[in-house]
Amino acid sequence: MKRIFLTLAIALSIVAVQSCGGGAKNDSKETADSINEEKSPENMDDNQAAATPLSVSEEDAKFVTEAANGGMAEVELGQLAQQKAQHADVKAFGEMMIKDHSKANDELTTLARGKNITVPATIGAEQQKVKDDLAKKTGREFDKAYIDDMVEDHEKDVKLFEDASKNLKDAELKAFVDKTLPTLRTHLEHSKAVKDKLK
């Protein structure tokens, strides 16, 4: 009975997120985190024995949802930069975001699937707000706001991945992090260089 209720609750939360466009309280990232929490072996009881549990710790799964959410946002914002950027270096940076983060997202999604980790279906509410705000800007104002956001995002990304490199328990996820971290550091340096050109 508890398993049926759990399945129903998960289904309803997904429907709620989709029907209200992923509001701040029920965004796709939070939904994925909740589903993963329910699939965590320490949270499952005997009645859920038929369900497939996570094959990683809940903390490792949280990293995956955070990284997947950030990676999707980088791609979507890169696509926006392709459409709206005025400065050639900003356009080129957006193109690099699409290429590099799409590749990393595909790798992470494949890893997540193999470990029964649910990843967000769409970007989280916070990232959607950034995208909506950027979409209202044009020309030089867009270029500066986009690059400022890219510097800030990549500072957070590098910290997230450095912490994950030290703390992840799953060897495959750790290998993904260690392989991806140099690219994120390059993105951070590149975004800072572009920001300097826009001053």
Side-chain angles (χ1 to χ4, degrees), residues 28-57:
S28 187
K29 182 190 164 303
E30 289 179 9
T31 300
D33 278 337
S34 295
I35 293 168
N36 290 329
E37 191 177 319
E38 295 293 342
K39 290 191 292 187
S40 177
E42 56 265 20
N43 293 334
M44 296 179 83
D45 60 27
D46 293 340
N47 296 331
Q48 294 170 283
T52 308
L54 293 174
S55 62
V56 297
S57 71

PDB file of all heavy atoms in Angstrom, residues 28-57:
ATOM      1  N   SER A  28      11.738  21.307 -11.340  1.00  0.00           N
ATOM      2  CA  SER A  28      12.161  19.993 -11.819  1.00  0.00           C
ATOM      3  C   SER A  28      13.331  19.427 -11.009  1.00  0.00           C
ATOM      4  O   SER A  28      13.391  18.237 -10.736  1.00  0.00           O
ATOM      5  CB  SER A  28      12.533  20.102 -13.300  1.00  0.00           C
ATOM      6  OG  SER A  28      12.797  18.850 -13.840  1.00  0.00           O
ATOM      7  N   LYS A  29      14.269  20.297 -10.603  1.00  0.00           N
ATOM      8  CA  LYS A  29      15.409  19.834  -9.818  1.00  0.00           C
ATOM      9  C   LYS A  29      14.959  19.321  -8.452  1.00  0.00           C
ATOM     10  O   LYS A  29      15.381  18.264  -7.999  1.00  0.00           O
ATOM     11  CB  LYS A  29      16.440  20.948  -9.655  1.00  0.00           C
ATOM     12  CG  LYS A  29      17.667  20.496  -8.872  1.00  0.00           C
ATOM     13  CD  LYS A  29      18.546  21.674  -8.513  1.00  0.00           C
ATOM     14  CE  LYS A  29      19.522  21.327  -7.430  1.00  0.00           C
ATOM     15  NZ  LYS A  29      18.935  20.839  -6.192  1.00  0.00           N
ATOM     16  N   GLU A  30      14.066  20.089  -7.805  1.00  0.00           N
ATOM     17  CA  GLU A  30      13.565  19.661  -6.496  1.00  0.00           C
ATOM     18  C   GLU A  30      12.768  18.364  -6.608  1.00  0.00           C
ATOM     19  O   GLU A  30      12.853  17.496  -5.732  1.00  0.00           O
ATOM     20  CB  GLU A  30      12.706  20.760  -5.870  1.00  0.00           C
ATOM     21  CG  GLU A  30      13.528  21.952  -5.408  1.00  0.00           C
ATOM     22  CD  GLU A  30      12.678  23.054  -4.799  1.00  0.00           C
ATOM     23  OE1 GLU A  30      11.474  22.844  -4.580  1.00  0.00           O
ATOM     24  OE2 GLU A  30      13.240  24.129  -4.543  1.00  0.00           O
ATOM     25  N   THR A  31      12.011  18.227  -7.695  1.00  0.00           N
ATOM     26  CA  THR A  31      11.242  16.992  -7.908  1.00  0.00           C
ATOM     27  C   THR A  31      12.191  15.806  -8.060  1.00  0.00           C
ATOM     28  O   THR A  31      11.977  14.750  -7.452  1.00  0.00           O
ATOM     29  CB  THR A  31      10.348  17.128  -9.158  1.00  0.00           C
ATOM     30  OG1 THR A  31       9.443  18.214  -8.953  1.00  0.00           O
ATOM     31  CG2 THR A  31       9.547  15.858  -9.403  1.00  0.00           C
ATOM     32  N   ALA A  32      13.247  15.982  -8.862  1.00  0.00           N
ATOM     33  CA  ALA A  32      14.225  14.905  -9.045  1.00  0.00           C
ATOM     34  C   ALA A  32      14.885  14.535  -7.717  1.00  0.00           C
ATOM     35  O   ALA A  32      15.052  13.357  -7.394  1.00  0.00           O
ATOM     36  CB  ALA A  32      15.278  15.315 -10.079  1.00  0.00           C
ATOM     37  N   ASP A  33      15.251  15.563  -6.927  1.00  0.00           N
ATOM     38  CA  ASP A  33      15.846  15.302  -5.611  1.00  0.00           C
ATOM     39  C   ASP A  33      14.892  14.498  -4.728  1.00  0.00           C
ATOM     40  O   ASP A  33      15.306  13.564  -4.029  1.00  0.00           O
ATOM     41  CB  ASP A  33      16.214  16.611  -4.898  1.00  0.00           C
ATOM     42  CG  ASP A  33      17.548  17.184  -5.355  1.00  0.00           C
ATOM     43  OD1 ASP A  33      18.392  16.420  -5.864  1.00  0.00           O
ATOM     44  OD2 ASP A  33      17.746  18.403  -5.194  1.00  0.00           O
ATOM     45  N   SER A  34      13.605  14.846  -4.742  1.00  0.00           N
ATOM     46  CA  SER A  34      12.610  14.144  -3.919  1.00  0.00           C
ATOM     47  C   SER A  34      12.461  12.689  -4.345  1.00  0.00           C
ATOM     48  O   SER A  34      12.383  11.790  -3.511  1.00  0.00           O
ATOM     49  CB  SER A  34      11.243  14.832  -4.021  1.00  0.00           C
ATOM     50  OG  SER A  34      11.314  16.115  -3.460  1.00  0.00           O
ATOM     51  N   ILE A  35      12.419  12.471  -5.659  1.00  0.00           N
ATOM     52  CA  ILE A  35      12.293  11.097  -6.171  1.00  0.00           C
ATOM     53  C   ILE A  35      13.516  10.281  -5.764  1.00  0.00           C
ATOM     54  O   ILE A  35      13.394   9.141  -5.305  1.00  0.00           O
ATOM     55  CB  ILE A  35      12.107  11.099  -7.705  1.00  0.00           C
ATOM     56  CG1 ILE A  35      10.755  11.720  -8.068  1.00  0.00           C
ATOM     57  CG2 ILE A  35      12.227   9.691  -8.281  1.00  0.00           C
ATOM     58  CD1 ILE A  35      10.582  12.031  -9.550  1.00  0.00           C
ATOM     59  N   ASN A  36      14.697  10.876  -5.907  1.00  0.00           N
ATOM     60  CA  ASN A  36      15.931  10.169  -5.529  1.00  0.00           C
ATOM     61  C   ASN A  36      15.970   9.877  -4.032  1.00  0.00           C
ATOM     62  O   ASN A  36      16.428   8.812  -3.615  1.00  0.00           O
ATOM     63  CB  ASN A  36      17.164  10.968  -5.956  1.00  0.00           C
ATOM     64  CG  ASN A  36      17.337  10.978  -7.455  1.00  0.00           C
ATOM     65  OD1 ASN A  36      16.963  10.018  -8.137  1.00  0.00           O
ATOM     66  ND2 ASN A  36      17.867  12.054  -7.991  1.00  0.00           N
ATOM     67  N   GLU A  37      15.473  10.810  -3.243  1.00  0.00           N
ATOM     68  CA  GLU A  37      15.428  10.601  -1.793  1.00  0.00           C
ATOM     69  C   GLU A  37      14.554   9.387  -1.459  1.00  0.00           C
ATOM     70  O   GLU A  37      14.912   8.562  -0.628  1.00  0.00           O
ATOM     71  CB  GLU A  37      14.862  11.861  -1.130  1.00  0.00           C
ATOM     72  CG  GLU A  37      15.012  11.886   0.367  1.00  0.00           C
ATOM     73  CD  GLU A  37      14.503  13.200   0.961  1.00  0.00           C
ATOM     74  OE1 GLU A  37      14.752  14.271   0.377  1.00  0.00           O
ATOM     75  OE2 GLU A  37      13.844  13.118   2.013  1.00  0.00           O
ATOM     76  N   GLU A  38      13.415   9.276  -2.145  1.00  0.00           N
ATOM     77  CA  GLU A  38      12.514   8.130  -1.915  1.00  0.00           C
ATOM     78  C   GLU A  38      13.157   6.811  -2.348  1.00  0.00           C
ATOM     79  O   GLU A  38      12.869   5.768  -1.782  1.00  0.00           O
ATOM     80  CB  GLU A  38      11.186   8.319  -2.667  1.00  0.00           C
ATOM     81  CG  GLU A  38      10.355   9.491  -2.189  1.00  0.00           C
ATOM     82  CD  GLU A  38       9.817   9.314  -0.780  1.00  0.00           C
ATOM     83  OE1 GLU A  38       9.789   8.183  -0.270  1.00  0.00           O
ATOM     84  OE2 GLU A  38       9.438  10.331  -0.173  1.00  0.00           O
ATOM     85  N   LYS A  39      14.028   6.874  -3.385  1.00  0.00           N
ATOM     86  CA  LYS A  39      14.676   5.660  -3.898  1.00  0.00           C
ATOM     87  C   LYS A  39      15.942   5.311  -3.134  1.00  0.00           C
ATOM     88  O   LYS A  39      16.565   4.297  -3.402  1.00  0.00           O
ATOM     89  CB  LYS A  39      15.025   5.836  -5.387  1.00  0.00           C
ATOM     90  CG  LYS A  39      13.815   5.868  -6.290  1.00  0.00           C
ATOM     91  CD  LYS A  39      14.199   5.768  -7.758  1.00  0.00           C
ATOM     92  CE  LYS A  39      14.928   6.968  -8.263  1.00  0.00           C
ATOM     93  NZ  LYS A  39      15.158   6.953  -9.721  1.00  0.00           N
ATOM     94  N   SER A  40      16.337   6.174  -2.200  1.00  0.00           N
ATOM     95  CA  SER A  40      17.535   5.915  -1.417  1.00  0.00           C
ATOM     96  C   SER A  40      17.313   4.662  -0.561  1.00  0.00           C
ATOM     97  O   SER A  40      16.303   4.554   0.122  1.00  0.00           O
ATOM     98  CB  SER A  40      17.831   7.123  -0.526  1.00  0.00           C
ATOM     99  OG  SER A  40      18.940   6.860   0.277  1.00  0.00           O
ATOM    100  N   PRO A  41      18.237   3.694  -0.601  1.00  0.00           N
ATOM    101  CA  PRO A  41      18.043   2.434   0.137  1.00  0.00           C
ATOM    102  C   PRO A  41      17.710   2.642   1.621  1.00  0.00           C
ATOM    103  O   PRO A  41      16.896   1.929   2.186  1.00  0.00           O
ATOM    104  CB  PRO A  41      19.381   1.710  -0.026  1.00  0.00           C
ATOM    105  CG  PRO A  41      19.939   2.239  -1.294  1.00  0.00           C
ATOM    106  CD  PRO A  41      19.472   3.682  -1.370  1.00  0.00           C
ATOM    107  N   GLU A  42      18.313   3.674   2.248  1.00  0.00           N
ATOM    108  CA  GLU A  42      18.037   3.879   3.676  1.00  0.00           C
ATOM    109  C   GLU A  42      16.621   4.401   3.928  1.00  0.00           C
ATOM    110  O   GLU A  42      16.131   4.340   5.046  1.00  0.00           O
ATOM    111  CB  GLU A  42      19.085   4.791   4.335  1.00  0.00           C
ATOM    112  CG  GLU A  42      19.272   6.142   3.701  1.00  0.00           C
ATOM    113  CD  GLU A  42      20.407   6.208   2.686  1.00  0.00           C
ATOM    114  OE1 GLU A  42      20.833   5.165   2.168  1.00  0.00           O
ATOM    115  OE2 GLU A  42      20.862   7.320   2.406  1.00  0.00           O
ATOM    116  N   ASN A  43      15.954   4.925   2.881  1.00  0.00           N
ATOM    117  CA  ASN A  43      14.590   5.424   3.049  1.00  0.00           C
ATOM    118  C   ASN A  43      13.522   4.435   2.589  1.00  0.00           C
ATOM    119  O   ASN A  43      12.335   4.684   2.759  1.00  0.00           O
ATOM    120  CB  ASN A  43      14.398   6.742   2.282  1.00  0.00           C
ATOM    121  CG  ASN A  43      15.223   7.857   2.876  1.00  0.00           C
ATOM    122  OD1 ASN A  43      15.531   7.824   4.061  1.00  0.00           O
ATOM    123  ND2 ASN A  43      15.594   8.819   2.080  1.00  0.00           N
ATOM    124  N   MET A  44      13.945   3.328   1.981  1.00  0.00           N
ATOM    125  CA  MET A  44      12.982   2.335   1.491  1.00  0.00           C
ATOM    126  C   MET A  44      12.655   1.335   2.593  1.00  0.00           C
ATOM    127  O   MET A  44      13.508   0.969   3.381  1.00  0.00           O
ATOM    128  CB  MET A  44      13.545   1.617   0.262  1.00  0.00           C
ATOM    129  CG  MET A  44      13.752   2.555  -0.921  1.00  0.00           C
ATOM    130  SD  MET A  44      14.447   1.717  -2.347  1.00  0.00           S
ATOM    131  CE  MET A  44      12.964   1.027  -3.053  1.00  0.00           C
ATOM    132  N   ASP A  45      11.394   0.902   2.620  1.00  0.00           N
ATOM    133  CA  ASP A  45      11.027  -0.124   3.594  1.00  0.00           C
ATOM    134  C   ASP A  45      10.742  -1.444   2.865  1.00  0.00           C
ATOM    135  O   ASP A  45      10.862  -1.529   1.645  1.00  0.00           O
ATOM    136  CB  ASP A  45       9.834   0.320   4.453  1.00  0.00           C
ATOM    137  CG  ASP A  45       8.586   0.599   3.631  1.00  0.00           C
ATOM    138  OD1 ASP A  45       8.433   0.005   2.542  1.00  0.00           O
ATOM    139  OD2 ASP A  45       7.752   1.403   4.077  1.00  0.00           O
ATOM    140  N   ASP A  46      10.358  -2.467   3.606  1.00  0.00           N
ATOM    141  CA  ASP A  46      10.144  -3.798   3.032  1.00  0.00           C
ATOM    142  C   ASP A  46       9.066  -3.803   1.948  1.00  0.00           C
ATOM    143  O   ASP A  46       9.118  -4.598   1.014  1.00  0.00           O
ATOM    144  CB  ASP A  46       9.771  -4.806   4.122  1.00  0.00           C
ATOM    145  CG  ASP A  46      10.938  -5.045   5.072  1.00  0.00           C
ATOM    146  OD1 ASP A  46      12.083  -4.759   4.674  1.00  0.00           O
ATOM    147  OD2 ASP A  46      10.696  -5.506   6.200  1.00  0.00           O
ATOM    148  N   ASN A  47       8.067  -2.934   2.067  1.00  0.00           N
ATOM    149  CA  ASN A  47       6.990  -2.888   1.085  1.00  0.00           C
ATOM    150  C   ASN A  47       7.446  -2.341  -0.263  1.00  0.00           C
ATOM    151  O   ASN A  47       6.749  -2.466  -1.251  1.00  0.00           O
ATOM    152  CB  ASN A  47       5.823  -2.024   1.597  1.00  0.00           C
ATOM    153  CG  ASN A  47       5.186  -2.622   2.829  1.00  0.00           C
ATOM    154  OD1 ASN A  47       5.193  -3.838   3.002  1.00  0.00           O
ATOM    155  ND2 ASN A  47       4.662  -1.776   3.694  1.00  0.00           N
ATOM    156  N   GLN A  48       8.614  -1.709  -0.283  1.00  0.00           N
ATOM    157  CA  GLN A  48       9.124  -1.136  -1.525  1.00  0.00           C
ATOM    158  C   GLN A  48      10.203  -2.018  -2.151  1.00  0.00           C
ATOM    159  O   GLN A  48      10.918  -1.573  -3.037  1.00  0.00           O
ATOM    160  CB  GLN A  48       9.706   0.255  -1.254  1.00  0.00           C
ATOM    161  CG  GLN A  48       8.669   1.267  -0.829  1.00  0.00           C
ATOM    162  CD  GLN A  48       9.334   2.530  -0.338  1.00  0.00           C
ATOM    163  OE1 GLN A  48       9.832   2.574   0.776  1.00  0.00           O
ATOM    164  NE2 GLN A  48       9.357   3.539  -1.175  1.00  0.00           N
ATOM    165  N   ALA A  49      10.275  -3.246  -1.733  1.00  0.00           N
ATOM    166  CA  ALA A  49      11.332  -4.142  -2.202  1.00  0.00           C
ATOM    167  C   ALA A  49      11.336  -4.289  -3.720  1.00  0.00           C
ATOM    168  O   ALA A  49      12.380  -4.483  -4.328  1.00  0.00           O
ATOM    169  CB  ALA A  49      11.202  -5.502  -1.546  1.00  0.00           C
ATOM    170  N   ALA A  50      10.169  -4.166  -4.351  1.00  0.00           N
ATOM    171  CA  ALA A  50      10.089  -4.322  -5.807  1.00  0.00           C
ATOM    172  C   ALA A  50      10.636  -3.098  -6.549  1.00  0.00           C
ATOM    173  O   ALA A  50      10.990  -3.181  -7.712  1.00  0.00           O
ATOM    174  CB  ALA A  50       8.648  -4.566  -6.228  1.00  0.00           C
ATOM    175  N   ALA A  51      10.692  -1.956  -5.872  1.00  0.00           N
ATOM    176  CA  ALA A  51      11.208  -0.743  -6.507  1.00  0.00           C
ATOM    177  C   ALA A  51      12.723  -0.848  -6.662  1.00  0.00           C
ATOM    178  O   ALA A  51      13.389  -1.503  -5.868  1.00  0.00           O
ATOM    179  CB  ALA A  51      10.860   0.475  -5.664  1.00  0.00           C
ATOM    180  N   THR A  52      13.241  -0.212  -7.689  1.00  0.00           N
ATOM    181  CA  THR A  52      14.683  -0.237  -7.904  1.00  0.00           C
ATOM    182  C   THR A  52      15.319   0.914  -7.134  1.00  0.00           C
ATOM    183  O   THR A  52      15.044   2.073  -7.427  1.00  0.00           O
ATOM    184  CB  THR A  52      15.013  -0.098  -9.403  1.00  0.00           C
ATOM    185  OG1 THR A  52      14.265  -1.060 -10.126  1.00  0.00           O
ATOM    186  CG2 THR A  52      16.488  -0.305  -9.653  1.00  0.00           C
ATOM    187  N   PRO A  53      16.158   0.604  -6.151  1.00  0.00           N
ATOM    188  CA  PRO A  53      16.771   1.680  -5.357  1.00  0.00           C
ATOM    189  C   PRO A  53      17.928   2.346  -6.109  1.00  0.00           C
ATOM    190  O   PRO A  53      18.415   1.825  -7.113  1.00  0.00           O
ATOM    191  CB  PRO A  53      17.288   0.940  -4.121  1.00  0.00           C
ATOM    192  CG  PRO A  53      17.563  -0.439  -4.607  1.00  0.00           C
ATOM    193  CD  PRO A  53      16.551  -0.727  -5.689  1.00  0.00           C
ATOM    194  N   LEU A  54      18.347   3.478  -5.596  1.00  0.00           N
ATOM    195  CA  LEU A  54      19.560   4.113  -6.099  1.00  0.00           C
ATOM    196  C   LEU A  54      20.728   3.160  -5.879  1.00  0.00           C
ATOM    197  O   LEU A  54      20.755   2.441  -4.885  1.00  0.00           O
ATOM    198  CB  LEU A  54      19.859   5.397  -5.312  1.00  0.00           C
ATOM    199  CG  LEU A  54      18.928   6.583  -5.441  1.00  0.00           C
ATOM    200  CD1 LEU A  54      19.354   7.666  -4.442  1.00  0.00           C
ATOM    201  CD2 LEU A  54      18.939   7.137  -6.839  1.00  0.00           C
ATOM    202  N   SER A  55      21.684   3.187  -6.780  1.00  0.00           N
ATOM    203  CA  SER A  55      22.879   2.374  -6.536  1.00  0.00           C
ATOM    204  C   SER A  55      24.029   3.252  -6.045  1.00  0.00           C
ATOM    205  O   SER A  55      25.184   2.841  -6.062  1.00  0.00           O
ATOM    206  CB  SER A  55      23.272   1.598  -7.797  1.00  0.00           C
ATOM    207  OG  SER A  55      23.597   2.489  -8.832  1.00  0.00           O
ATOM    208  N   VAL A  56      23.685   4.482  -5.628  1.00  0.00           N
ATOM    209  CA  VAL A  56      24.669   5.401  -5.050  1.00  0.00           C
ATOM    210  C   VAL A  56      24.062   6.006  -3.792  1.00  0.00           C
ATOM    211  O   VAL A  56      22.870   5.842  -3.524  1.00  0.00           O
ATOM    212  CB  VAL A  56      25.047   6.540  -6.040  1.00  0.00           C
ATOM    213  CG1 VAL A  56      25.699   5.985  -7.281  1.00  0.00           C
ATOM    214  CG2 VAL A  56      23.852   7.405  -6.375  1.00  0.00           C
ATOM    215  N   SER A  57      24.870   6.748  -3.039  1.00  0.00           N
ATOM    216  CA  SER A  57      24.353   7.405  -1.844  1.00  0.00           C
ATOM    217  C   SER A  57      23.428   8.559  -2.243  1.00  0.00           C
ATOM    218  O   SER A  57      23.499   9.079  -3.359  1.00  0.00           O
ATOM    219  CB  SER A  57      25.501   7.953  -0.995  1.00  0.00           C
ATOM    220  OG  SER A  57      26.094   9.066  -1.645  1.00  0.00           O
TER     221      SER A  57
END
